[in-house]
Amino acid sequence: VENIIIHRTGQEWYERIIKTFRDWLGGRIQRELIYNKFYYNALKKVRPQIVHIYFGAPGLLLYREIRKLNLPLIVSFLGYDLSQLTTALGEDVYIRNGLFQNGQLFTVDGNTAKERLIALGCPPEKVYLLRVGLDLKKYKYKIREKNNVKPVKILFCGRFVGKKGLLIAIKSIAEVIDRGYKIIFTIIGYGPLKEKALELVEKLNIKQNIKFLGMLKQNQFIEQCYENHFLIAPSQTDVITGDTETGIPTVILQAHATGMPV
């Protein structure tokens, strides 16, 4: 695809942006941020027919600049912006700051997210359910047959944050090992709970059963799907931040596309 300009922020941008919002909405810094001016000038130069923003937080920051240019706005809500952000800044953050009133369409990837967005004040007629899709041509479906192979190889892939349930997964694996089953648990990802995860593995004395691979590219994750027997994705609501899954994690779809049980 030609004529696409990509501006990508860092991996931990969501934590920094929440702090920025606290200051911005509290009136401690000027609303005319360099961030806004950069995108305003870029949009003015490109003159797109539609602006599509991923996540509600950037939508809050930028919708005023988009409105100045009289451009239609679509915002896709994808998780933390329906839970962690509203816990930190208030359930009425999108109504209070005018995003729902000024956007033309708001997409979500699941019914839970749709219900949540409407509960936050978004007009139902502006909410569109946009499912996550995969290009199945990129995946080779391999039927997994039940056998007595040992050890059983289990895979986890996700950010090391509360809502992904990594610590629950590690504890569960330890219980299964204690019952005499031979398990190899491979963990893909990164995040703020890494040290806690390492400490838990050490405490439960299952270090020999655990492999931390760190961050991998998508094709490397797919390779791991073929090398392991099944994927676990024990999502939960983070009791501290309120962050939760509002749609199906993409890794579940990708694992299924390879024929891997989840």
Side-chain angles (χ1 to χ4, degrees), residues 16-34:
R16 295 196 300 272
I17 208 167
I18 285 178
K19 182 181 183 302
T20 299
F21 264 119
R22 286 200 181 102
D23 293 339
W24 180 61
L25 296 175
R28 289 190 292 271
I29 61 176
Q30 294 182 352
R31 290 174 183 257
E32 289 296 321
L33 300 172
I34 295 175

Side-chain angles (χ1 to χ4, degrees), residues 11 13 30 32 42 52 58 76 79 112 124 129 154 182 186 207 257:
Q11 292 174 339
W13 68 275
Q30 294 182 352
E32 289 296 321
H52 184 186
S76 290
T112 300
L129 185 59
I154 303 174
K182 294 183 178 180
T186 299
K207 192 174 181 179

Side-chain angles (χ1 to χ4, degrees), residues 21-149:
F21 264 119
R22 286 200 181 102
D23 293 339
W24 180 61
L25 296 175
R28 289 190 292 271
I29 61 176
Q30 294 182 352
R31 290 174 183 257
E32 289 296 321
L33 300 172
I34 295 175
Y35 182 86
N36 294 48
K37 291 181 179 179
F38 169 82
Y39 282 103
Y40 175 81
N41 291 332
L43 290 170
K44 188 175 181 180
K45 181 178 180 180
V46 175
R47 297 301 302 184
Q49 293 178 307
I50 296 174
V51 178
H52 184 186
I53 295 178
Y54 276 73
F55 294 104
L60 278 174
L61 279 175
L62 293 172
Y63 83 83
R64 290 179 178 84
E65 313 307 318
I66 294 167
R67 185 176 60 185
K68 290 176 185 176
L69 296 169
N70 197 30
L71 297 172
L73 172 63
I74 299 173
V75 180
S76 290
F77 284 78
L78 297 164
Y80 93 98
D81 44 11
L82 295 174
S83 53
Q84 186 176 358
L85 187 66
T86 55
T87 298
L89 302 177
E91 294 280 298
D92 64 343
V93 62
Y94 299 116
I95 287 289
R96 189 172 72 244
N97 291 280
L99 180 61
F100 291 154
Q101 297 91 316
N102 288 278
Q104 279 64 50
L105 190 68
F106 301 92
T107 77
V108 291
D109 61 1
N111 286 315
T112 300
K114 181 178 180 180
E115 293 171 3
R116 175 63 175 155
L117 193 60
I118 293 172
L120 290 173
C122 186
E125 65 273 14
K126 288 188 175 184
V127 181
Y128 184 80
L129 185 59
L130 183 63
R131 299 288 188 183
V132 176
L134 298 179
D135 183 357
L136 295 180
K137 295 178 182 178
K138 296 181 179 180
Y139 301 85
K140 181 179 179 181
Y141 191 87
K142 178 182 177 182
I143 297 176
R144 312 302 166 91
E145 298 179 355
K146 184 178 179 180
N147 54 46
N148 294 320
V149 64

